[in-house]
Amino acid sequence: MSNNIETQVIRNQLERSQFQEHSTPLYLTSSFVFEDAEDMRASFSEEKERNLYSRFSNPNTSEFVNKIVAMENAEAGYAFATGMAAIFSTFAALLNSGDHIISCRSVFGSTHSLFTKYLPKWNITTSYFKVDETNNLESLVKENTKVLYVETPTNPGVDVLDLEALGNFAKKHNLIFIVDNCFATPYLQTPITYGADLVVHSATKLIDGQGRVLGGIAVGRKDLIQEIYLFSRNTGPALSPFNAWVLSKSLETLPIRVEKHCENALKVAKFLEEHPKVNVVRYPFLKSHPQYKVAKKQMKLGGNIVAFEIKGGIEAGRNFLNNIQMCSLSANLGDTRTIVTHPASTTHSKLSEEDRLEVGITDGLVRCSVGLENVDDIIKDINHALQN
Ligand SMILES: *Cc1c(COP(=O)(O)O)cnc(C)c1O
């Protein structure tokens, strides 16, 4: 089969059953049967690659995994119930007590909680760098450093980290390089090309893309995925067959959806850049973005998240949300529906102003997950909310 992504996401599907269906059916079965004692012995001894029990694997889950593995140029993968299950299980499977992680300060909120609250319970510590310090990481390396973990573009500041530079750094120090590729999707960016050993995703976002199901996945080096698989098969964070079926269907349209999301987002970003009530706009494919060149090198398009700072601080941000008419106020992102959030008064309100600024969240910062409505309607709604 062709390696082109648009073909892979559609044609890389399960073999047809006896019914010759065109679209992959849903295999809602918790377990699978064996021919005889010898078949059962061989299956459990892993001499045979086959489905045993849906906590380990299921046909729908395998189809979903195979597509993402192909898109990310990975060797293997395992799918999870949520993005956080993928991230936590990856750390739990690969790290030992006493290990050390280097990570960027700007990571998803719950990932940050893993680093600060939960991994320390097992004596696993993390050192952080800021988005503009990627060329200055040597001082963070310790004897026990095992993992380099990043997201790019970041949430909610939409900063871009240089994957090639980070990949070289990880290689030099023999670190396992893990990238959360959720904001870019494998259609826009493939971190393994730049030296990532593992890529994790929240499939809840652009991969589902329609705000329906939660899911997660880790793909990458076969030896590492095997460890993650064994951990997960015993501890049970597996993706459900139904969600896998939904997500695999979603992938069929991922390329055209993401293409349109990015086209709309660039138009929204350009509109905001000219707006008198907006101080700063962050979008990777705007020439004014501090890492524009890096974004152009490693991303096919700029993604669907636009961050912008409204003049007037917290109050102006709250007013903006109150005056939105069509777009949704919601904590999700990567949906067909455009979503706006104001991190300083909501998701990040518990942080001190100083800590917020560390991760690029100014008081007037709005994050917009640009959807697939007619872009003129999206711009009209945002413009109206800014006028009031
Ligand atoms: C949403 C998100 C996650 C967590 O995914 P869930 O599916 O909600 O568990 C992790 N990383 C990033 C960048 C996200 O946006």
Side-chain angles (χ1 to χ4, degrees):
M1 197 196 311
S2 147
N3 277 331
N4 290 322
I5 272 191
E6 295 82 352
T7 306
Q8 282 284 337
V9 290
I10 292 171
R11 292 288 172 182
N12 187 344
Q13 64 184 96
L14 293 179
E15 265 177 47
R16 293 194 180 116
S17 78
Q18 70 201 86
F19 299 113
Q20 292 295 308
E21 67 282 347
H22 197 191
S23 169
T24 301
L26 171 57
Y27 289 98
L28 276 186
T29 179
S30 40
S31 67
F32 302 84
V33 288
F34 307 93
E35 291 297 322
D36 50 32
E38 174 50 24
D39 182 32
M40 201 160 181
R41 185 205 61 78
S43 300
F44 274 87
S45 71
E46 293 182 41
E47 285 163 27
K48 281 186 183 172
E49 228 178 81
R50 53 154 293 168
N51 296 301
L52 308 174
Y53 186 60
S54 285
R55 167 150 48 81
F56 309 172
S57 69
N58 169 281
N60 292 115
T61 312
S62 300
E63 185 182 274
F64 171 62
V65 169
N66 290 342
K67 286 182 183 182
I68 301 276
V69 163
M71 293 174 91
E72 291 281 9
N73 290 318
E75 292 171 0
Y78 187 83
F80 295 87
T82 65
M84 286 320 302
I87 294 166
F88 175 70
S89 303
T90 297
F91 289 137
L94 301 179
L95 294 175
N96 293 311
S97 175
D99 284 343
H100 173 249
I101 301 169
I102 297 176
S103 175
C104 184
R105 227 175 245 293
S106 304
V107 289
F108 185 69
S110 296
T111 307
H112 190 256
S113 298
L114 284 185
F115 291 152
T116 52
K117 209 167 158 194
Y118 298 105
L119 295 181
K121 287 178 27 163
W122 298 289
N123 195 23
I124 296 166
T125 53
T126 308
S127 302
Y128 307 97
F129 60 91
K130 292 192 205 152
V131 287
D132 56 0
E133 293 173 341
T134 49
N135 290 323
N136 204 4
L137 304 181
E138 300 289 337
S139 63
L140 299 179
V141 181
K142 303 185 194 182
E143 270 295 82
N144 55 342
T145 307
K146 193 149 172 200
V147 162
L148 172 67
Y149 183 92
V150 300
E151 287 171 23
T152 178
T154 63
N155 178 30
V158 198
D159 282 295
V160 172
L161 303 183
D162 188 336
L163 288 172
E164 189 177 7
L166 292 167
N168 290 337
F169 169 78
K171 192 162 187 191
K172 182 175 164 202
H173 294 281
N174 205 17
L175 309 179
I176 302 172
F177 182 26
I178 307 175
V179 179
D180 180 335
N181 202 24
C182 173
F183 270 36
T185 79
Y187 182 64
L188 299 181
Q189 166 179 292
T190 50
I192 288 172
T193 320
Y194 299 101
D197 299 292
L198 289 170
V199 171
V200 291
H201 280 283
S202 166
T204 314
K205 313 296 168 52
L206 281 161
I207 289 179
D208 172 48
Q210 290 145 88
R212 300 168 299 187
V213 298
L214 290 99
I217 188 164
V219 300
R221 261 168 55 190
K222 203 170 186 168
D223 57 328
L224 300 176
I225 292 293
Q226 179 65 10
E227 291 300 317
I228 294 167
Y229 162 70
L230 290 175
F231 173 83
S232 307
R233 132 176 192 161
N234 286 304
T235 55
L239 182 64
S240 81
F242 177 76
N243 284 7
W245 178 80
V246 171
L247 291 168
S248 190
K249 301 282 176 214
S250 305
L251 283 177
E252 295 184 8
T253 56
L254 183 85
I256 61 163
R257 281 189 288 108
V258 170
E259 195 85 33
K260 188 70 182 175
H261 272 292
C262 296
E263 185 190 317
N264 285 356
L266 183 61
K267 284 183 185 162
V268 168
K270 284 187 170 160
F271 163 79
L272 288 166
E273 216 172 24
E274 300 299 320
H275 203 287
K277 295 219 173 143
V278 173
N279 274 333
V280 189
V281 183
R282 271 293 171 84
Y283 184 70
F285 270 34
L286 281 183
K287 289 212 176 73
S288 58
H289 192 287
Q291 295 101 20
Y292 173 72
K293 278 209 182 110
V294 177
K296 278 278 182 179
K297 178 180 72 173
Q298 68 194 30
M299 297 175 76
K300 187 175 154 106
L301 294 164
N304 84 314
I305 308 293
V306 180
F308 56 102
E309 196 202 35
I310 305 181
K311 292 180 184 167
I314 297 243
E315 229 12 69
R318 285 172 53 86
N319 275 339
F320 175 80
L321 291 195
N322 283 334
N323 288 309
I324 280 287
Q325 292 176 324
M326 178 189 76
C327 298
S328 313
L329 314 187
S330 169
N332 197 14
L333 58 93
D335 195 307
T336 49
R337 288 157 279 256
T338 300
I339 293 168
V340 288
T341 56
H342 178 232
S345 72
T346 58
T347 45
H348 294 73
S349 63
K350 289 202 189 80
L351 298 186
S352 69
E353 189 177 350
E354 196 190 341
D355 286 348
R356 281 206 299 271
L357 289 178
E358 281 256 303
V359 290
I361 301 172
T362 52
D363 285 348
L365 187 85
V366 170
R367 186 190 76 190
C368 180
S369 164
V370 179
L372 299 179
E373 304 97 335
N374 186 304
V375 70
D376 294 339
D377 294 328
I378 301 171
I379 288 174
K380 195 170 149 198
D381 195 25
I382 291 174
N383 190 35
H384 170 264
L386 284 171
Q387 302 305 340
N388 280 277

